[in-house]
Amino acid sequence: MSKVNKPTTPSALTPARLREARREMVEAGEAPRDLAVSDPALLRSWQRSQAAGLSPSGRTGTPHASAVQLAQARAQQHELVAHARPAMEFIHEQIRETDSIVLLSDAQGLLLDTLGDTSFANRAERVALRPGANWHEQWRGTNAIGTALAEQRPVVVHGSEHYLERNGFLTCAAAPIIDPAGALLGAIDISSDHRQFHRHTLGLVRSAARMIEHRLFETRHRDSLRLRIHKYREGIAGLTEGLLALSEDGWLIGANMAGLQLLGLARQDIAGLRIDAVFDTSVEALHGHSHASQGWPFELRLPDGSPLWVQVEAGRGGIDVTPEPAAPVIPAPLPDETERTVAECNGNLSEAARRLGISRTTLYRRLQR
């Protein structure tokens, strides 16, 4: 599993030195030694930006989705957008009136949704921090959304760390959003004026990403055998719990990032491991433990001997956010069923119509016939 090696605070280099280092890299084509030592992740991002043909002081022909294209992208990512909005509103409450904006992108850097303070939102729009804009590194150079997607881990990009000089007034923190199958879905970001940098911002976006991943898991695997895991019993059902989904024969078919980290697994292990390779137990044994503990969390041991609390669930919970299908056609009850239902309701036609799943007008017609 990749480790987060990007500092969660601005670069140790001064803004003036960062600008000079970027100029040296562009003109001499060599990596500045002090940047390579102090922030190799930032250097990698600058090098990707340079390889994309971007000029720090230039303006690029950045693509922007039309209204139709944006609507199509949002429809394709309906599940992500639906689950992300509550998380966006939650973190916006924490940063209200700080001249900040919360952004959601898809895996290609296309901004799908934004929420923020009006005063900063108006300024942000001048650099296209609005739905439909694309903040992939290929188009915008080093920036929190594009770099979090490229590195696939949380990052902070502050002030002069941005590759394009015109974005230097921003400070941004972003975290990638990973779906239960281990695929990159997008990123959530907080952007504000560079003078508003706060160390807690990265923690907020990481928490928001975790909230979204949690809800995605619950939706995708609401009918699966699920394990809630944590190193503390009290952590079960909390924001930091790990989530695993198993097939009937014990294969790992889904997980959130917290679950993978608790087990020391990588995203590539999803669909490639059985539960007995993780806990030295079987699906049947898990059900047995759950029954013996009356559905409460119970303790299992990992191969290294460390304890982990586990709670087993099957086929419960999850919010379906897919567009509702057309209402099914309900066959008309037979006449005797209609009359019997009215009799059971003691002549209460409203209650009888409710039980039959029809309107009172339809019930009147049937009684008249």
Side-chain angles (χ1 to χ4, degrees):
M1 176 171 297
S2 61
K3 297 180 179 180
V4 177
N5 52 23
K6 169 75 165 75
T8 58
T9 57
S11 173
L13 303 182
T14 65
R17 176 55 194 145
L18 283 169
R19 289 190 293 270
E20 178 65 18
R22 189 171 51 235
R23 186 187 64 78
E24 290 175 7
M25 192 181 79
V26 171
E27 294 182 356
E30 297 180 358
R33 185 177 298 276
D34 51 354
L35 181 61
V37 172
S38 66
D39 201 339
L42 179 60
L43 177 59
R44 287 197 302 270
S45 179
W46 280 10
Q47 290 171 332
R48 289 192 297 267
S49 303
Q50 187 178 36
L54 298 178
S55 169
S57 59
R59 292 180 176 271
T60 59
T62 307
H64 195 289
S66 66
V68 172
Q69 291 170 328
L70 178 59
Q72 291 174 339
R74 288 175 59 87
Q76 291 172 354
Q77 294 290 345
H78 175 78
E79 188 180 46
L80 171 62
V81 173
H83 284 311
R85 189 66 185 189
M88 293 175 67
E89 292 185 357
F90 169 75
I91 59 175
H92 180 245
E93 282 297 316
Q94 318 310 310
I95 61 172
R96 187 182 293 278
E97 297 180 359
T98 62
D99 285 338
S100 301
I101 189 169
V102 186
L103 305 111
L104 175 73
S105 84
D106 67 10
Q108 288 71 48
L110 178 68
L111 298 190
L112 300 173
D113 200 4
T114 63
L115 180 65
D117 296 335
T118 303
S119 58
F120 183 73
N122 292 336
R123 187 180 180 193
E125 283 197 356
R126 282 181 289 199
V127 290
L129 278 174
R130 62 180 182 273
N134 193 305
W135 279 77
H136 191 284
E137 278 190 340
Q138 174 186 359
W139 304 108
R140 303 281 178 181
T142 302
N143 70 88
I145 290 175
T147 304
L149 293 173
E151 297 276 326
Q152 297 198 23
R153 54 187 173 80
V155 299
V156 171
V157 176
H158 176 69
S160 297
E161 294 180 349
H162 288 85
Y163 188 75
L164 299 185
E165 293 174 358
R166 65 193 304 257
N167 295 331
F169 75 96
L170 295 169
T171 185
C172 311
I177 300 166
I178 310 298
D179 82 355
L184 178 66
L185 275 185
I188 188 163
D189 168 277
I190 297 175
S191 292
S192 59
D193 187 283
H194 73 283
R195 294 166 293 186
Q196 300 292 333
F197 173 78
H198 198 289
R199 294 175 185 271
H200 293 166
T201 306
L202 185 67
L204 282 174
V205 293
R206 293 179 69 175
S207 295
R210 182 168 287 184
M211 291 169 64
I212 298 166
E213 291 170 358
H214 204 117
R215 301 309 300 155
L216 288 167
F217 179 94
E218 297 282 9
T219 296
R220 298 272 185 93
H221 293 290
R222 60 184 179 273
D223 297 323
S224 302
L225 175 64
R226 298 176 306 204
L227 306 185
R228 299 182 181 275
I229 63 175
H230 202 278
K231 61 181 179 179
Y232 302 118
R233 179 173 181 165
E234 294 78 10
I236 297 292
L239 183 60
T240 59
E241 71 174 345
L243 297 169
L244 310 176
L246 304 179
S247 64
E248 293 181 359
D249 53 354
W251 287 94
L252 179 64
I253 58 174
N256 69 348
M257 293 302 294
L260 294 177
Q261 290 167 2
L262 282 169
L263 298 177
L265 301 178
R267 288 152 53 185
Q268 294 78 6
D269 292 321
I270 298 175
L273 281 180
R274 288 173 54 91
I275 193 62
D276 52 14
V278 179
F279 284 118
D280 192 23
T281 189
S282 64
V283 171
E284 293 75 20
L286 286 171
H287 281 298
H289 283 299
S290 181
H291 180 73
S293 64
Q294 299 182 334
W296 290 94
F298 54 90
E299 193 177 56
L300 287 179
R301 296 273 170 179
L302 293 173
D304 63 2
S306 58
L308 204 62
W309 287 92
V310 180
Q311 184 173 13
V312 178
E313 292 183 346
R316 294 182 297 168
I319 299 175
D320 188 354
V321 297
T322 57
E324 295 186 4
V329 178
I330 303 175
L334 297 174
D336 59 342
E337 183 182 353
T338 302
E339 294 172 0
R340 183 173 64 252
T341 303
V342 172
E344 290 173 353
C345 295
N346 297 317
N348 186 330
L349 299 184
S350 295
E351 176 62 18
R354 187 189 67 79
R355 291 191 187 184
L356 293 167
I358 59 177
S359 67
R360 287 182 55 175
T361 302
T362 302
L363 178 59
Y364 291 148
R365 293 199 194 100
R366 290 181 183 169
L367 292 175
Q368 289 172 354
R369 289 200 298 267

